[in-house]
């Protein structure tokens, strides 16, 4: 499952959101966290892709 943070980051006039999701490693089977900073409109698309 993926989770996104509720905190928004503010830089000059652009509004950005930091999103974090858990990704399962195909080799070891363990989970790792992938973080990305993007616009709020792009978060759902980023979380839905594998």
């Amino acid at each position: 499952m993926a989770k996104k943070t509720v905190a928004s980051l503010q830089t000059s006039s652009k509004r950005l959101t930091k999103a974090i999701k858990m990704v399962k490693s195909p080799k070891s089977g363990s989970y790792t966290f992938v973080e990305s900073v993007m616009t709020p409109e792009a978060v759902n698309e980023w979380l839905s892709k594998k």
Side-chain angles (χ1 to χ4, degrees):
M1 293 300 296
K3 287 199 174 239
K4 66 179 178 180
T5 59
V6 293
S8 292
L9 305 173
Q10 195 97 15
T11 58
S12 62
S13 63
K14 295 180 182 174
R15 194 170 147 232
L16 300 173
T17 303
K18 181 178 182 181
I20 303 171
K21 69 178 174 179
M22 282 180 30
V23 179
K24 189 171 185 177
S25 172
K27 270 187 177 178
S28 63
S30 64
Y31 286 94
T32 60
F33 292 96
V34 179
E35 298 181 15
S36 182
V37 177
M38 64 196 77
T39 61
E41 295 81 28
V43 172
N44 287 333
E45 180 185 332
W46 182 76
L47 288 174
S48 65
K49 69 179 180 180
K50 292 201 173 204

